[in-house]
Amino acid sequence: MHAQAHEADAADPSVADLIAARPHLTMHPMDGLVLEDVPLNAIADALGTPVWVYGAGTMRARLAELQHAVADLPVHIHYAVKANDHLAVLKIFAHGGAGADVVSEGEFLRARKAGIAAENIVFSGVGKTVGELRLAIGEGVGQINVESAAELAMISTVATALGKTAPVALRINPDVDAGTHAKITTGRADNKFGIPYSDAAALYAHAATLPGVAPVGIALHIGSQILSLGPYRAAYARAAEMVRALRAAGQTVSRVDCGGGLGIGYRDEPGASPTAFAGALRAAFGGLDVQLMIEPGRWLVGPAGMLLSSVVLTKADERFAVIDAAMNDLVRPAMYDAWHAIVPLAAGNAVGAVRPVDVVGPVCESGDTFARARALPSLAAGDRVALLDAGAYGAVMSSTYNARPNAPIALVDGARWATIRARQTHADLWAAESVPTFLDGRIG
Ligand SMILES: Cc1ncc(COP(=O)(O)O)c(C=O)c1O
């Protein structure tokens, strides 16, 4: 007996609908769920679960779709490394012609290791350290997006000491509500990001007088998982207005970095349309003669990744399915209340009557819940499921909480697949730890 009614949301899309909406996935009667041309069971058999799987062909196709949509505009794509920073993923986008948007020394080094030229890298982020600036400027970074007057001064000092001139764009805060989750909105005046709109013109003029910096334009990024164009239109109109005002004041403005944020359909909501997004860029900047840059992350990689997991057991009359993946692997449901599609790997499990199931992980937190009262076909111990659309802000946000090693990663490319990250061992977890000798011999 449960105190609360436990009813499935009748609006939950069916397994068949979820698969039909994702062209990279098919359900094969014998092989079960197939990504591109690889049955996911083959990967789970070989590597165990939990395991991440990414589709290289899917990533390439998405990059090509975005490039096609903006083909008539002077747009360069800088993939936002934070969404998924695996070297193989970076290589795929680099081969496709994208640069990188990075926010840390580690991301800069990853991008460089994947073969992305420093001049094709944009360095964003609200708290770049002197060490990070030294590295990026020393290597000839393509652009630094400046978030404050204090940072501008740091860049000038570092670049001057290195005998370099750093191309900088001022990240303006357009004070626009992106209409997304509070934790991923970044363009409102009360967010920590960017330079207040009203201060930007004076700071730009100041930048033009500083040694070691060359102001090349402005940047903005209003948030993530944005599904409607209204916030983009509003923010880009303000950016275009800023370009005109700066030019009227005699400044040179040759670039506008329009940020990322394009949303994807996690449930049954349509994802952001690249063609419509391109329309918003064209409307705002079409006649301005500026080089445009965009920094998409989630839209390129989100749908191309998934997390495979096995049911450990069911309990409370099958109300709960406890799976072997947890919030330490995929934190988005716990952190953002994110909805991720959950699809059985076996074709036989994907049909039949649905019942409301809470899909939970084994971590000792109630927040370790992937879905509540999800309409799912019956699941039993040992059955496998895929948590879909986990390619962005998935593995990169993993932790080892509860001493759970990081899951391995496999990359599918058409009919081929390879392991691109081994499962972390328990010994890896404490490899960097030491116990000081003064603790020796103490009891309790
Ligand atoms: C400056 C900047 N650019 C790009 C992105 C990528 O956003 P998304 O993955 O939503 O496209 C982010 C992420 O929040 C960001 O902070």
Side-chain angles (χ1 to χ4, degrees), residues 325-343:
M327 64 187 289
N328 74 293
D329 300 300
L330 178 63
V331 76
R332 297 190 67 260
M335 187 144 144
Y336 308 115
D337 300 315
W339 196 100
H340 279 270
I342 301 177
V343 173

Side-chain angles (χ1 to χ4, degrees), residues 198-253:
S198 52
D199 298 349
L203 197 62
Y204 204 98
H206 175 59
T209 67
L210 285 177
V213 294
V216 294
I218 58 172
L220 66 162
H221 170 78
I222 56 172
S224 194
Q225 184 53 13
I226 301 170
L227 291 171
S228 74
L229 283 178
Y232 279 124
R233 287 214 184 88
Y236 292 167
R238 300 211 80 194
E241 187 186 305
M242 176 67 68
V243 172
R244 286 192 201 93
L246 290 170
R247 285 179 173 167
Q251 304 298 341
T252 303
V253 185

Side-chain angles (χ1 to χ4, degrees), residues 80 82-83 101 124 171 221 223-225 259-262 295-298 393:
K82 63 168 73 71
D101 167 64
S124 303
R171 175 169 175 184
H221 170 78
S224 194
Q225 184 53 13
L262 289 174
E295 302 167 348
R298 184 192 311 267
Y393 308 105

Side-chain angles (χ1 to χ4, degrees), residues 280-333:
L281 291 174
R282 206 173 289 117
F285 305 111
L288 267 189
D289 188 26
V290 279
Q291 172 66 46
L292 299 175
M293 297 145 87
I294 56 173
E295 302 167 348
R298 184 192 311 267
W299 196 89
L300 290 174
V301 287
M306 60 210 58
L307 177 62
L308 309 185
S309 181
S310 303
V311 176
V312 178
L313 52 83
T314 63
K315 61 181 278 189
D317 195 18
E318 293 187 33
R319 173 185 172 146
F320 295 101
V322 184
I323 62 175
D324 63 2
M327 64 187 289
N328 74 293
D329 300 300
L330 178 63
V331 76
R332 297 190 67 260

Side-chain angles (χ1 to χ4, degrees), residues 54-365:
Y54 304 155
T58 312
M59 291 181 194
R60 267 187 227 109
R62 295 187 73 82
L63 177 63
E65 185 183 342
L66 193 52
Q67 284 168 329
H68 180 72
V70 297
D72 66 323
L73 291 162
V75 176
H76 196 246
I77 298 175
H78 288 84
Y79 166 65
V81 172
K82 63 168 73 71
N84 185 325
D85 64 13
H86 193 285
L87 292 175
V89 172
L90 300 183
K91 195 123 232 165
I92 289 164
F93 292 127
H95 282 165
D101 167 64
V102 306
V103 293
S104 70
E105 181 173 0
E107 287 190 358
F108 184 87
L109 293 171
R110 277 183 173 275
R112 296 287 292 117
K113 192 163 175 61
I116 300 174
E119 72 244 31
N120 249 335
I121 299 178
V122 174
F123 207 134
S124 303
V126 71
K128 305 171 201 81
T129 64
V130 166
E132 288 177 319
L133 292 172
R134 204 176 281 137
L135 170 75
I137 295 169
E139 290 214 9
V141 67
Q143 179 172 303
I144 301 178
N145 290 348
V146 180
E147 299 245 2
S148 60
E151 187 185 38
L152 186 63
M154 280 163 73
I155 295 169
S156 174
T157 308
V158 169
T160 307
L162 290 171
K164 301 253 187 184
T165 300
V168 301
L170 296 197
R171 175 169 175 184
I172 56 166
N173 185 325
D175 195 13
V176 164
D177 189 339
T180 185
H181 191 281
K183 286 183 187 163
I184 49 174
T185 193
T186 56
R188 286 198 319 233
D190 57 356
N191 298 135
K192 69 180 174 184
F193 301 96
I195 293 156
Y197 192 84
S198 52
D199 298 349
L203 197 62
Y204 204 98
H206 175 59
T209 67
L210 285 177
V213 294
V216 294
I218 58 172
L220 66 162
H221 170 78
I222 56 172
S224 194
Q225 184 53 13
I226 301 170
L227 291 171
S228 74
L229 283 178
Y232 279 124
R233 287 214 184 88
Y236 292 167
R238 300 211 80 194
E241 187 186 305
M242 176 67 68
V243 172
R244 286 192 201 93
L246 290 170
R247 285 179 173 167
Q251 304 298 341
T252 303
V253 185
S254 52
R255 301 182 197 166
V256 178
D257 181 344
C258 301
L262 289 174
I264 60 173
Y266 282 100
R267 195 177 184 210
D268 47 9
E269 68 281 24
S273 144
T275 326
F277 177 68
L281 291 174
R282 206 173 289 117
F285 305 111
L288 267 189
D289 188 26
V290 279
Q291 172 66 46
L292 299 175
M293 297 145 87
I294 56 173
E295 302 167 348
R298 184 192 311 267
W299 196 89
L300 290 174
V301 287
M306 60 210 58
L307 177 62
L308 309 185
S309 181
S310 303
V311 176
V312 178
L313 52 83
T314 63
K315 61 181 278 189
D317 195 18
E318 293 187 33
R319 173 185 172 146
F320 295 101
V322 184
I323 62 175
D324 63 2
M327 64 187 289
N328 74 293
D329 300 300
L330 178 63
V331 76
R332 297 190 67 260
M335 187 144 144
Y336 308 115
D337 300 315
W339 196 100
H340 279 270
I342 301 177
V343 173
L345 253 56
N349 280 344
V351 290
V354 294
R355 50 180 302 148
V357 183
D358 286 6
V359 180
V360 301
V363 159
C364 304
E365 305 248 356

